[in-house]
Amino acid sequence: MVPRLLKSFLSATEGATAIEYGLLAGLITVGLLGGLGALSGNLQTVLETINTALLDSWK
């Protein structure tokens, strides 16, 4: 009974799959946050340029 239970426990992979998906989601999140942080300054500059161009065109 105990060897069969131990074998069943060691061969179960559902928990490992959930952990792998969690780690993958965490890595994707860290990558997105890092990328967005690096681009935020450039995006701000682009939006300010567009805003200035639009305001100048209304004058």
Side-chain angles (χ1 to χ4, degrees), residues 3-57:
R4 187 180 332 152
L5 182 62
L6 184 60
K7 184 178 179 180
S8 173
F9 177 74
L10 292 176
S11 66
T13 60
E14 292 85 12
T17 303
I19 291 172
E20 289 168 358
Y21 282 131
L23 289 172
L24 187 58
L27 287 173
I28 290 170
T29 301
V30 168
L32 284 174
L33 289 175
L36 290 175
L39 292 177
S40 66
N42 293 336
L43 181 60
Q44 182 69 30
T45 303
V46 168
L47 292 176
E48 287 174 358
T49 303
I50 293 170
N51 187 34
T52 303
L54 288 174
L55 290 176
D56 287 344
S57 70

